[in-house]
Amino acid sequence: GVQTCALPICYAVATVGFNIWFCIWAMRAGTHALGTLPLALIALLIVPWHEGVSLDRWLWPAKRPSRVPFGFAPWMLALAMAIGFAAAAFAKVRTGPGWILNGTVRYHFMAESEIALVPWGLWIAARPWLSVLLSGIAVGVEAIAIVGVFCGPRIRLLFGAMIASIITGFILFHAAIWPAWWVLLLGFLPWEWCDRTSSAATRV
């Protein structure tokens, strides 16, 4: 009983502490790096963590079967990331397709070429058609990411790979390493495959 109560309480305390720290940190550094992680953590307060998939349950599935349906916690992480991406796509095209047709990514590549980890940005910027193509792909992935949240594990993993390519681009072309986005990306992994007590129906 003590352990059952301690896990939700510890998580709640950690969530409150993180959000207080985030509010202070954001006044100096902005909100881009952490994205929607603070709100996602608040949404996860309702998760009964003591009933979820754990290492001992995975190793010995007959020892302690779950009494709770699996999946809300990673689903919420994926949803939070998808909403953040959808908002980014809307911000880019709310006044029309100019962000795409201008090949706007090339301006970012040129502006941050000195800190980029790879020199490809300038090569892309020198080819307007490629800049337009990549701008369109970036907005497209951001706009449809939310579809993957409501798909099965295989399709969700595919959407996760597309999103991973976007945030990997942030690292390569902008030297922007945002750990919070990678935490949210974990929601797109096929966690059902790790749960040996799940029914075969959840493995499609």
Side-chain angles (χ1 to χ4, degrees), residues 7-204:
L7 285 171
I9 292 174
C10 289
Y11 178 78
V13 171
T15 298
V16 171
F18 179 84
N19 277 271
I20 292 174
W21 171 83
F22 167 73
C23 291
I24 298 172
W25 181 84
M27 289 189 293
R28 175 180 57 84
T31 61
H32 239 120
L34 289 177
T36 56
L37 180 60
L39 292 179
L41 294 178
I42 293 175
L44 294 180
L45 285 171
I46 65 174
V47 173
W49 294 104
H50 56 287
E51 296 286 356
V53 177
S54 59
L55 182 60
D56 67 318
R57 183 180 158 211
W58 185 79
L59 294 174
W60 303 286
K63 179 180 177 182
R64 186 174 59 84
S66 177
R67 300 191 297 269
V68 200
F70 169 82
F72 176 78
W75 180 83
M76 178 52 65
L77 291 179
L79 179 64
M81 180 164 223
I83 290 175
F85 265 51
F90 175 76
K92 292 179 177 68
V93 300
R94 69 181 185 276
T95 58
W99 197 94
I100 298 174
L101 299 179
N102 290 335
T104 306
V105 295
R106 61 180 170 176
Y107 301 112
H108 295 288
F109 292 165
M110 290 188 292
E112 296 167 345
S113 61
E114 292 185 359
I115 62 173
L117 303 184
V118 293
W120 311 331
L122 293 178
W123 184 86
I124 294 172
R127 292 158 177 80
W129 65 271
L130 186 55
S131 299
V132 172
L133 177 62
L134 291 180
S135 297
I137 291 174
V139 172
V141 171
E142 290 175 342
I144 68 172
I146 198 166
V147 175
V149 177
F150 301 97
C151 295
R154 288 190 176 89
I155 302 299
R156 192 170 68 246
L157 182 60
L158 176 61
F159 275 86
M162 292 190 294
I163 295 172
S165 69
I166 296 293
I167 57 180
T168 298
F170 295 159
I171 297 175
L172 296 178
F173 296 106
H174 310 294
I177 302 175
W178 297 336
W181 289 103
W182 291 97
V183 172
L184 295 175
L185 185 63
L186 294 174
F188 284 88
L189 295 178
W191 293 104
E192 296 91 330
W193 298 347
C194 299
D195 185 6
R196 293 170 58 189
T197 63
S198 295
S199 64
T202 63
R203 299 177 186 272
V204 296

